[in-house]
Amino acid sequence: MENVGYFAPSDVGQALELLAEQGSKATVLAGGTDLVPAINYYSLWPENLIFIGALGLDYIKEEGGKLLIGSGATWTQILEDPLVAEKAPALAQAARQGGSVATRNAGTVGGNLANASPAADLTVILLALEAEVLLKSSAGKRTVALKDFFTGPGETVMNDDELLMEVQIPLPAGSAAFQKLGRRKAMTLSVVNAGVKLNLDGDTCSGACIALGAMAPTPLRCSAAEEMLVGKKLDAALIAECAAAAVAAGSPIDDQRASAWYRTKAGTAIVARALAQAAGIGG
Amino acid sequence: MKSILSFSLNGAPVEVLVKTTDTLLDVLRESLGYTGAKRGCDAGDCGACTVIVDGLAIRACLAIALTMSGKEVVTIEGLGKQGDLHPLQKAFHQHGAHQCGFCTSGMIVSAKTLLDKIPNPSQDEIVEYMSGNICRCGTYVEVAEAIQAVSGGKE
Ligand SMILES: Cc1cc2nc3c(=O)[nH]c(=O)nc-3n(C[C@H](O)[C@H](O)[C@H](O)COP(=O)(O)OP(=O)(O)OC[C@H]3O[C@@H](n4cnc5c(N)ncnc54)[C@H](O)[C@@H]3O)c2cc1C
């Protein structure tokens, strides 16, 4: 632990070369708000740290019908960005509810995704917004839909030599909403969270995405529940039925934040609220 | 592995030998003797180690020290000193916005960044912004009063 190496590449090419050379010996460091608490508590030092904060990956822009967010964009940038507010307000809404000012100033969207916590907040709304991530290695690049990205708690399809470069949100981002239940109002991880996106034709739903967090080993897309809404007019009864179906797709556990029983009850309410909000139905 | 870290601390250039495994909080407290930022939880939860980096509040306990290369770091020691206190330090004192005092430096540093951003915050804005600074003694009401008293540069 005295001999941890440190690299702070100044461009993406250098960073990818370092990752290719070091493979599993290297750990990427962005804002450090997930990595460093784990290190402080369990002394889990990697062999080498590759700090990616100087790669210029903190942009937010619209291009080719997509909202492109560099993996290094912080929660604070996302919640203050006028383009996000206009094109994907539910993402800003989620960013506002994470951690505290100081963790939002340091924590990045790339870190939230790559850390692959099943309870992560930006992650669940991005999953509902059908976002994709651009991954690069020295050998090439690929895009992966978030619904195919997570493989388990802390696990993703990313290889050791890949860097998460960018999050791509297809536009228009429908009518979307984020809801979170924590153990208190601020500074708290989600007991359960949900993101939804509805495409509405008048008041008929022509497409739905429902994402649920902290209810399974990975953030979930609830396809059976989504299909229940298509071609229908949303009302309170349909929303309740759909929320129950969404939660039924989960396999919640008991942990220090809540019991599985509570997660199921609360999750149903959280999904229902998100659906009502996205559909513009009071309550 | 040890390397030299150069950054600006409270307006003055600093060079210090650090290990990759040092956090900014380790370096401030143990190498440089700046003990104003406190080690509370070491997990980013409590806010007692809050410092300002390039104008933004962050947790010193979560910042790997080497990532501070070339940055401008401001700690509570940079806000005011004995006999020449920052208006927020005076207001915290006048309003009794502390009991044991452990969280106070982090509170004041956070409050400074709040007022830099929103010079005249509402009560709700104060409560929301300061929610990342935890006080076990329960001085929240007085903290908000002290910030309110300074807001708009009234004090
Ligand atoms: C007090 C506190 C409160 C928090 N509250 C919340 C909350 O309410 N909601 C929530 O969702 N999260 C919360 N978090 C968790 C954390 O802040 C976020 O997940 C944050 O977005 C992580 O980003 P980071 O840049 O700090 O990641 P880091 O800690 O730097 O990295 C996290 C992981 O991702 C990897 N990684 C990072 N960037 C990349 C990349 N570009 N390519 C490949 N791998 C990468 C790292 O190797 C590491 O494994 C909280 C954390 C703290 C300390």
Side-chain angles (χ1 to χ4, degrees):
Chain A
M1 146 167 173
E2 292 295 301
N3 288 318
V4 179
Y6 178 80
F7 301 85
S10 56
D11 64 55
V12 170
Q14 261 179 32
L16 297 180
E17 263 170 50
L18 284 166
L19 282 173
E21 271 161 38
Q22 300 179 5
S24 64
K25 290 188 183 151
T27 295
V28 167
L29 170 67
T33 61
D34 274 316
L35 198 57
V36 181
I39 290 175
N40 286 348
Y41 270 68
Y42 308 110
S43 284
L44 289 177
W45 283 99
E47 278 189 56
N48 295 311
L49 284 178
I50 300 183
F51 176 56
I52 56 166
L55 304 184
L57 295 177
D58 57 353
Y59 55 86
I60 300 179
K61 63 186 180 194
E62 187 182 353
E63 219 173 83
K66 290 176 182 174
L67 185 61
L68 306 181
I69 304 183
S71 64
T74 62
W75 292 63
T76 299
Q77 277 178 275
I78 289 171
L79 84 86
E80 291 180 350
D81 190 85
L83 200 56
V84 175
E86 188 196 331
K87 304 287 177 179
L91 178 61
Q93 202 190 340
R96 182 163 295 110
Q97 293 179 54
S100 68
V101 171
T103 55
R104 293 197 295 261
N105 285 340
T108 65
V109 64
N112 196 248
L113 292 167
N115 191 59
S117 157
D121 289 327
L122 297 179
T123 296
V124 83
I125 184 67
L126 288 169
L127 185 58
L129 294 174
E130 296 182 280
E132 299 187 323
V133 286
L134 171 65
L135 307 178
K136 262 194 189 170
S137 71
S138 61
K141 60 181 178 180
R142 57 177 175 147
T143 49
V144 178
L146 277 187
K147 69 176 168 43
D148 304 320
F149 183 68
F150 303 102
T151 53
E155 304 286 334
T156 72
V157 300
M158 257 193 302
N159 299 321
D160 285 338
D161 64 344
E162 281 180 315
L163 198 60
L164 200 165
M165 299 290 296
E166 180 178 278
V167 184
Q168 308 179 337
I169 304 171
L171 296 176
S175 176
F178 168 81
Q179 287 281 336
K180 156 177 185 171
L181 179 74
R183 303 214 331 154
R184 44 181 188 226
K185 257 173 98 174
M187 276 297 282
T188 186
L189 297 180
S190 289
V191 163
V192 53
N193 59 16
V196 307
K197 176 174 87 163
L198 301 176
N199 295 323
L200 298 168
D201 270 342
D203 49 11
T204 305
C205 175
S206 57
C209 296
I210 302 176
L212 191 56
M215 288 291 283
T218 65
L220 276 186
R221 273 283 298 275
C222 311
S223 41
E226 291 168 358
E227 280 159 28
M228 291 169 65
L229 301 181
V230 179
K232 307 251 175 66
K233 240 162 115 165
L234 267 66
D235 60 19
L238 179 59
I239 285 175
E241 205 186 323
C242 173
V247 167
S251 46
I253 55 166
D254 294 332
D255 69 10
Q256 75 277 19
R257 280 193 283 280
S259 65
W261 177 87
Y262 182 76
R263 284 200 159 92
T264 303
K265 298 278 178 201
T268 312
I270 286 295
V271 173
R273 276 182 211 165
L275 286 169
Q277 191 188 344
I281 298 173
Chain B
M1 197 167 99
K2 287 206 176 191
S3 337
I4 302 219
L5 167 66
S6 313
F7 65 109
S8 151
L9 179 56
N10 300 327
V14 178
E15 283 203 346
V16 54
L17 203 55
V18 307
K19 300 196 296 275
T20 305
T21 51
D22 287 334
T23 62
L24 175 60
L25 186 62
D26 296 330
V27 171
L28 287 172
R29 293 182 60 85
E30 271 127 62
S31 308
L32 298 169
Y34 284 71
T35 54
K38 304 297 180 207
R39 191 184 304 278
C41 66
D42 238 3
D45 287 311
C46 77
C49 70
T50 306
V51 299
I52 305 172
V53 175
D54 290 349
L56 297 176
I58 64 144
R59 301 296 203 227
C61 75
L62 299 186
I64 295 293
L66 285 169
T67 66
M68 292 295 118
S69 174
K71 308 243 174 195
E72 286 185 22
V73 178
V74 175
T75 66
I76 186 74
E77 289 91 344
L79 296 194
K81 44 184 176 299
Q82 198 83 37
D84 180 23
L85 295 180
H86 186 276
L88 277 165
Q89 290 172 313
K90 283 189 201 156
F92 268 62
H93 178 60
Q94 279 157 8
H95 290 263
H98 50 77
Q99 186 170 316
C100 80
F102 192 83
C103 70
T104 310
S105 52
M107 287 274 184
I108 292 175
V109 168
S110 284
K112 155 104 174 56
T113 60
L114 165 61
L115 295 183
D116 286 347
K117 192 167 187 160
I118 312 175
N120 243 315
S122 66
Q123 176 71 13
D124 286 350
E125 285 170 326
I126 293 175
V127 168
E128 190 185 346
Y129 195 94
M130 297 299 291
S131 64
N133 289 78
I134 293 172
C135 172
R136 286 261 157 108
C137 307
T139 59
Y140 299 109
V141 171
E142 290 80 5
V143 165
E145 282 171 6
I147 295 171
Q148 207 65 271
V150 181
S151 70
K154 282 195 290 296
E155 248 172 75

